[in-house]
Amino acid sequence: MGFLYYDYYYLILVVPMLLLSLVAQVMVKSTYAKQSKVLASRGITGEQAAARVLYHYGITNVRVEHAPGGKLSDHFDPRSNVIRLSQGVYDSNSVAAIGIACHEAGHAAQHAQGYAPIKIRNAVLPVCNIGSSLGIPLALIGYVMGIEPLISIGLILYAFIALFQLITLPVELNASKRAIRVIEETNMLADDEIGGAKKVLTAAAMTYITALLVSLANLLRLFLRFNRRR
Ligand SMILES: [Zn+2]
């Protein structure tokens, strides 16, 4: 397996993207830390903010729960119809908490309205799971045994990971768009506080973009690597 990592393409293609994604992760943490200290003047909590978004969309079958998970572990679980908010979000009055809570409720709204990119994402998910576990091993077996179609199948399976991340982008951006729209329409935040919530959500979106770039770089590098000896 060593040859997959110690190669030139990894250095010039993947490493820069990994650094970029590292920068994005540092930025999301620092933006979150900063905006967690800015308390919203209206005094509502993350939990109440999420509930307001649900109410705005007329959603009555989704619960908002306090989850024991760590920072930035907030999510909407469509299987149990639960929005789980972390320690620093659920009962926090911060601008960051309200932004994140509303974003997660935005995901609930997407599910409730049958937002198309979510359906597409769910449809490709099984192939992505196969791709992430079998793609590289298959390509390697094909490479070692000289079976070219197997290399292609492996790489195509692996490419589904990038495809999944690509479809995730509109889903995430749209959840944030819904969040900001409801925040504005319902006056959850004062005008000068909305910018802070937007910053948190934009920083989070950047991590999804850089994750996609890492996958694309990896795909290109594997393609070049496996092609070299043909
Ligand atoms: Zn999201």
Side-chain angles (χ1 to χ4, degrees):
M1 283 292 276
F3 83 105
L4 274 178
Y5 296 95
Y6 303 106
D7 74 81
Y8 179 66
Y9 295 127
Y10 185 77
L11 213 61
I12 59 164
L13 292 171
V14 183
V15 170
M17 295 307 148
L18 281 174
L19 289 176
L20 208 62
S21 86
L22 205 66
V23 170
Q25 282 166 41
V26 169
M27 272 180 62
V28 80
K29 287 208 175 92
S30 70
T31 311
Y32 174 78
K34 197 175 160 196
Q35 300 299 332
S36 289
K37 293 192 191 100
V38 183
L39 298 185
S41 54
R42 309 268 196 264
I44 64 165
T45 63
E47 183 233 347
Q48 291 165 336
R52 281 197 194 185
V53 175
L54 295 177
Y55 180 79
H56 182 85
Y57 280 101
I59 299 168
T60 52
N61 62 339
V62 172
R63 282 175 298 132
V64 185
E65 282 180 4
H66 191 175
K71 270 181 196 170
L72 302 170
S73 63
D74 311 82
H75 64 277
F76 167 63
D77 178 358
R79 265 171 285 177
S80 50
N81 266 338
V82 173
I83 295 170
R84 297 200 182 87
L85 301 178
S86 62
Q87 188 73 40
V89 171
Y90 187 85
D91 46 21
S92 163
N93 303 122
S94 76
V95 167
I98 289 165
I100 291 169
C102 290
H103 170 95
E104 298 311 332
H107 283 309
Q110 291 172 333
H111 279 268
Q113 296 185 339
Y115 179 64
I118 285 204
K119 289 183 177 167
I120 300 169
R121 193 172 68 162
N122 290 345
V124 299
L125 183 62
V127 190
C128 298
N129 287 334
I130 298 169
S132 65
S133 53
L134 284 184
I136 300 302
L138 276 183
L140 263 178
I141 293 168
Y143 184 79
V144 172
M145 298 182 70
I147 309 168
E148 291 205 7
L150 208 53
I151 300 178
S152 304
I153 292 168
L155 290 183
I156 289 166
L157 280 176
Y158 188 77
F160 268 86
I161 300 172
L163 182 68
F164 182 79
Q165 289 170 321
L166 185 69
I167 306 167
T168 297
L169 276 187
V171 174
E172 291 305 324
L173 295 176
N174 175 269
S176 290
K177 208 174 107 188
R178 288 170 189 261
I180 296 299
R181 199 194 305 143
V182 179
I183 286 172
E184 285 174 345
E185 282 178 17
T186 61
N187 276 313
M188 256 187 262
L189 293 175
D191 287 345
D192 60 336
E193 295 163 352
I194 292 173
K198 278 184 185 166
K199 274 184 197 160
V200 171
L201 297 180
T202 305
M206 288 309 292
T207 63
Y208 288 101
I209 293 171
T210 54
L212 170 66
L213 290 176
V214 169
S215 287
L216 288 176
N218 236 326
L219 191 65
L220 179 61
R221 154 245 180 181
L222 288 170
F223 182 76
L224 293 168
R225 189 79 183 96
F226 282 118
N227 251 315
R228 202 192 278 170
R229 255 218 267 161
R230 279 195 217 180

